[in-house]
Amino acid sequence: HASLARRRRARALGRRVSGDVLRLDAGEASLAVLARVGAPARILYLGPRLAAGSDLAALETLAAEGPRESQPDAPRPLSLAPTTGFGFLGAPALAVADARGARALDLVVMTAQASGDALVLDLADEIVRFRITIAREGALFRWPCTVENASATPRMILNAASVTAPAPAWVEEIWTYAGRWGGEQRLTIAPFAPGQIVKEGRGGRPGFESAQYMAAASAGAGEESGRVLALALAWGGEGRLRGAHR
């Protein structure tokens, strides 16, 4: 009931964007985000540049999933900012606690807007406000996130994550980097199989055990051929990179 009430409130207060699906291009790549007011935000497409005039609404139909074995009848789609209140795949975008303990979050889109160089999505529930800005920088996408307490109640951030991006169907390998003194950033290639690949930096900084970038690649990709989607975490403290196959 609480989640339903928050969705109704979001629909009442939020400004519905034209079309719900927002597109941003950078270099030879395109990104399409479903930003329906009152619902979680979701990346529908991240890959080679879409043709001009592409039917963005059709991307939602193509990305729809039905129930599968050992899963709920209504499977949870991969959200741009997964939250504990709705259930999540990957890792929660944000975990907070107050005097009552850990709090479940139900972040939904309140407003969304697109300019020539960025998409700005404001998500919220009764506990926090969460802004995601997806900006174009040359041929790259950059998406900083900001968190704001929605009330005067003091709250502690237990965990904060960047947004979750879907892996294209052609991804068959995950590239990670680690090493030791004098031999940093050695490449490890692992098959993208069911389960998770997690690289964690500890000690208050990235450390040798985990560089703060990861790549998803087609089989046999290299410097001169193949397709690669690279992700980098711009963070100066401890962090995790996660590649999850479901």
Side-chain angles (χ1 to χ4, degrees):
H1 295 298
S3 296
L4 179 61
R6 288 173 199 157
R7 290 182 186 179
R8 287 175 175 168
R9 178 175 177 269
R11 290 188 183 278
L13 298 180
R15 179 175 61 83
R16 187 177 181 86
V17 299
S18 175
D20 286 337
V21 181
L22 306 180
R23 172 180 173 177
L24 185 66
D25 299 324
E28 296 302 315
S30 289
L31 173 72
V33 177
L34 178 63
R36 181 163 294 134
V37 172
R42 182 183 181 193
I43 293 181
L44 296 179
Y45 179 84
L46 176 60
R49 192 177 184 117
L50 297 170
S54 294
D55 185 358
L56 298 182
L59 294 174
E60 183 177 3
T61 302
L62 293 173
E65 296 185 6
R68 295 178 291 170
E69 297 83 357
S70 302
Q71 290 199 348
D73 292 338
R76 170 57 50 200
L78 190 64
S79 171
L80 182 65
T83 54
T84 51
F86 285 120
F88 61 90
L89 298 170
L94 186 66
V96 301
D98 55 24
R100 296 166 56 187
R103 304 296 301 274
L105 302 177
D106 295 343
L107 294 175
V108 298
V109 176
M110 300 294 289
T111 64
Q113 54 186 320
S115 66
D117 296 315
L119 308 179
V120 180
L121 288 76
D122 286 313
L123 288 70
D125 72 355
E126 64 182 13
I127 298 175
V128 298
R129 288 183 284 268
F130 193 70
R131 167 167 286 193
I132 302 171
T133 303
I134 304 176
R136 173 175 60 214
E137 290 192 357
L140 303 177
F141 293 112
R142 182 176 64 89
W143 36 46
C145 304
T146 58
V147 180
E148 180 182 349
N149 195 350
S151 72
T153 302
R155 293 191 170 94
M156 176 184 296
I157 295 178
L158 303 176
N159 181 73
S162 183
V163 295
T164 299
W170 46 261
V171 172
E172 296 187 42
E173 299 175 351
I174 295 294
W175 298 359
T176 58
Y177 299 83
R180 54 180 175 77
W181 184 262
E184 300 91 337
Q185 317 313 333
R186 300 295 178 93
L187 171 63
T188 298
I189 298 177
F192 193 37
Q196 298 188 74
I197 296 175
V198 181
K199 298 294 291 184
E200 182 175 9
R202 301 177 181 177
R205 57 185 180 180
F208 294 123
E209 65 271 16
S210 177
Q212 289 185 311
Y213 42 88
M214 175 183 285
S218 59
E223 294 185 4
E224 298 181 357
S225 64
R227 291 182 287 186
V228 178
L229 176 66
L231 305 174
L233 177 63
W235 178 252
E238 301 173 0
R240 295 186 187 96
L241 295 175
R242 186 189 313 265
H245 187 294
R246 60 187 175 117

